[in-house]
Amino acid sequence: MLYFQSIITIGTINIIMIIGLAILTGYTGLFSLGNVGFMMIGAYASVIVQRYLHMPYLLSLIAGGLAAMTAGFLIGFPAVRSKLKGDHFAIAMLGFANAIRVIISNTKNRYVNGALGIMNIPKITNMWWALGIAAVIIWMLSNYVHSAYGRNCRAIREQEVAAEIMGIQVSRTKLYSVLINGFCTGMGGGMFAFYTTIIQPGMFAQNLSSNHLIAVVFGGINSIVGPVMASFLLAILPEMLRFISKWRLVIYGVLIVTIMLVRPEGLLGYKELSFKWVANYAGESMI
């Protein structure tokens, strides 16, 4: 039972981090390879404020999200003002993530502890915390993508020049997407820290950013539910194939390639699942 709870918890933490990237990449069209940088900042900031400022768990996660969002502003503002996009934006975010890892690894004080990291972190994150926070974030971002801001994001992704001619503030909309991604990933990083009870720079490898990006593309561009399903599926697949031992990662990679060849638009493509029937059913039941 604990084993399945741990899989659900890790999968849900991945969802929280990937859902912000779905806004940045899926809806706004900015490919990022630096998500692990936000994750690292959120993890360290959450633990530090909880340990030294004695903040409650939820407030510590929010503080980690705000710290990552601040870093997102510092890197995102010059990036969007310089009109970086495509490969250039992805490489800029990659450099940001590597810079954060190097800075933390070489910061030797009682707060960060350099390459040794922070140990003896209280294990507070559990399945119910993860599911509850994920539900709130998914609901908030679902409302965001169906608002005028979400429509602006889609317009920029499809045709940036036309969107700018129509009066959309392109730079501001892109920056909002970077900030949302930073906040969500930072909160996910904090939850990860309070689950693993130890964080070190070496734990935040670059392949985590690649995995997040794979989940967004795998789930479907222009979809919230798609990346949610994909991130959970990609977290469960390696565990389902564990009985194959050495070949499980090979088969895992082959399955991803096969699915992307069969459905290059992702699991849901440009479709989104609607939950309006839940509200309608609830309304009819109350009559």
Side-chain angles (χ1 to χ4, degrees), residues 170-183:
V170 173
S171 296
R172 182 182 300 177
T173 303
K174 287 182 176 181
L175 184 59
Y176 287 162
S177 297
V178 174
L179 298 182
I180 290 172
N181 178 44
F183 181 80

Side-chain angles (χ1 to χ4, degrees), residues 211-250:
N211 290 341
H212 292 174
L213 189 58
I214 288 172
V216 172
V217 178
F218 185 50
I221 303 298
N222 199 36
S223 174
I224 291 293
V225 179
V228 168
M229 294 171 56
S231 59
F232 205 78
L233 180 61
L234 294 177
I236 292 176
L237 266 179
E239 300 301 324
M240 294 175 61
L241 299 172
R242 186 173 290 276
F243 68 95
I244 308 177
S245 186
K246 296 180 180 179
W247 290 96
R248 66 188 182 96
L249 294 180
V250 176

Side-chain angles (χ1 to χ4, degrees), residues 48-234:
I48 289 172
V49 299
Q50 190 274 339
R51 175 169 293 184
Y52 296 102
L53 300 181
H54 308 290
M55 281 191 178
Y57 171 67
L58 188 57
L59 290 181
S60 299
L61 296 182
I62 294 174
L66 292 175
M69 187 170 69
T70 302
F73 178 82
L74 295 177
I75 182 64
F77 182 75
V80 298
R81 285 297 298 268
S82 301
K83 296 186 177 181
L84 295 182
K85 54 185 177 181
D87 297 341
H88 299 90
F89 185 85
I91 293 172
M93 298 304 292
L94 174 62
F96 157 76
N98 289 332
I100 294 297
R101 187 182 300 107
V102 171
I103 290 172
I104 292 179
S105 297
N106 291 278
T107 302
K108 298 179 181 180
N109 54 39
R110 68 190 184 99
Y111 301 107
V112 178
N113 201 25
L116 296 177
I118 304 176
M119 302 180 184
N120 300 320
I121 303 170
K123 189 169 185 175
I124 305 175
T125 302
N126 56 37
M127 182 180 69
W128 303 113
W129 269 114
L131 290 173
I133 294 174
V136 172
I137 291 179
I138 291 172
W139 174 74
M140 293 176 65
L141 293 188
S142 179
N143 288 333
Y144 180 84
V145 299
H146 289 98
S147 68
Y149 297 103
R151 291 192 290 272
N152 290 345
C153 290
R154 289 192 291 270
I156 292 171
R157 183 197 64 208
E158 296 297 335
Q159 183 51 258
E160 184 174 325
V161 176
E164 193 167 13
I165 292 175
M166 293 296 293
I168 295 175
Q169 297 290 333
V170 173
S171 296
R172 182 182 300 177
T173 303
K174 287 182 176 181
L175 184 59
Y176 287 162
S177 297
V178 174
L179 298 182
I180 290 172
N181 178 44
F183 181 80
C184 294
T185 309
M187 279 199 70
M191 296 176 68
F192 175 79
F194 286 112
Y195 183 74
T196 59
T197 70
I198 179 174
I199 50 175
Q200 297 172 328
M203 297 171 62
F204 301 92
Q206 182 55 42
N207 69 297
L208 291 177
S209 294
S210 302
N211 290 341
H212 292 174
L213 189 58
I214 288 172
V216 172
V217 178
F218 185 50
I221 303 298
N222 199 36
S223 174
I224 291 293
V225 179
V228 168
M229 294 171 56
S231 59
F232 205 78
L233 180 61
L234 294 177

